[in-house]
Amino acid sequence: MRKNVKIIRSSDERLIDAVLSSLATQNLDDFELVWKPQLQTSIAEDRVWDWVKKERIYAASPNYESYAVECEGMTQGLMLIDTRFHRSQIESSRRLVYISFLATAPWNRSLIQTPPSYRAVGSVLLQFARERSFELGYEGLVGLHALSESVSFYAKMGMIGGEPDPDRDGLPYFEWYRR
């Protein structure tokens, strides 16, 4: 899978070309060699995530799909989704795409770098999860549990919920839901 997308270069506020594609070895190499050292010295909640390990664990399962956004020769965002085993917390009879993990590169986070290098990377990944939901017949339903530093982003994206989930260490649950 390969799709042309646009993200925003913060230095000049211009839309620039990027590619959203299925996760590849190069994306994992970018994580391991470039992202990981920067994240480990940060206070980011996902600094302990190991995308190489995640891909090894989930890649063999037909239930999971992983994606990356690349721009100017570097991975700018990563996402892992579950396409089969989650249901809406609003209406439990309906299936949804569940975002297991979503991260943008350290230099794209205003909490780590001001200004960030690129914006809209997370939005592109989130919108793609919604597209997959439509493709799978789930009518655009998408759910996730948010790290605290991402709560305002998901609320701004129009997701509803935000209630702490005791089954997920109190992480707030968000959902794109429509009747």
Side-chain angles (χ1 to χ4, degrees), residues 66 86 91 105 123 146 179:
S66 50
H86 287 269
E91 189 176 342
S123 302
R179 295 200 182 282

Side-chain angles (χ1 to χ4, degrees), residues 1-9 16-24 26-28 30-31 35 51 66-80 101-108 118-129 131:
M1 193 294 297
R2 190 170 171 84
K3 176 182 178 177
N4 293 325
V5 295
K6 298 280 188 187
I7 60 175
I8 301 166
R9 185 172 46 215
I16 61 168
D17 295 328
V19 174
L20 188 149
S21 62
S22 297
L23 191 71
Q26 182 59 48
N27 306 123
L28 296 173
D30 289 348
F31 168 79
W35 289 37
W51 282 89
S66 50
Y67 298 96
V69 171
E70 298 173 46
C71 178
E72 297 181 348
M74 179 57 67
T75 303
Q76 304 296 334
L78 298 167
M79 179 174 68
L80 177 72
F101 302 97
L102 188 152
T104 60
W107 51 87
N108 295 330
Y118 299 99
R119 296 192 335 264
V121 176
S123 302
V124 164
L125 289 165
L126 196 58
Q127 289 290 353
F128 180 73
E131 289 173 26

Side-chain angles (χ1 to χ4, degrees), residues 118-177:
Y118 299 99
R119 296 192 335 264
V121 176
S123 302
V124 164
L125 289 165
L126 196 58
Q127 289 290 353
F128 180 73
R130 190 176 230 180
E131 289 173 26
R132 285 295 292 136
S133 176
F134 278 112
E135 289 170 0
L136 294 165
Y138 303 161
E139 301 173 327
L141 273 67
V142 175
L144 58 86
H145 286 85
L147 298 173
S148 62
E149 61 195 39
S150 303
V151 166
S152 62
F153 168 72
Y154 295 118
K156 184 176 82 173
M157 293 299 294
M159 297 183 88
I160 57 175
E163 296 299 317
D165 185 343
D167 295 332
R168 290 292 187 113
D169 297 324
L171 291 175
Y173 178 79
F174 285 88
E175 191 171 303
W176 261 331
Y177 174 81

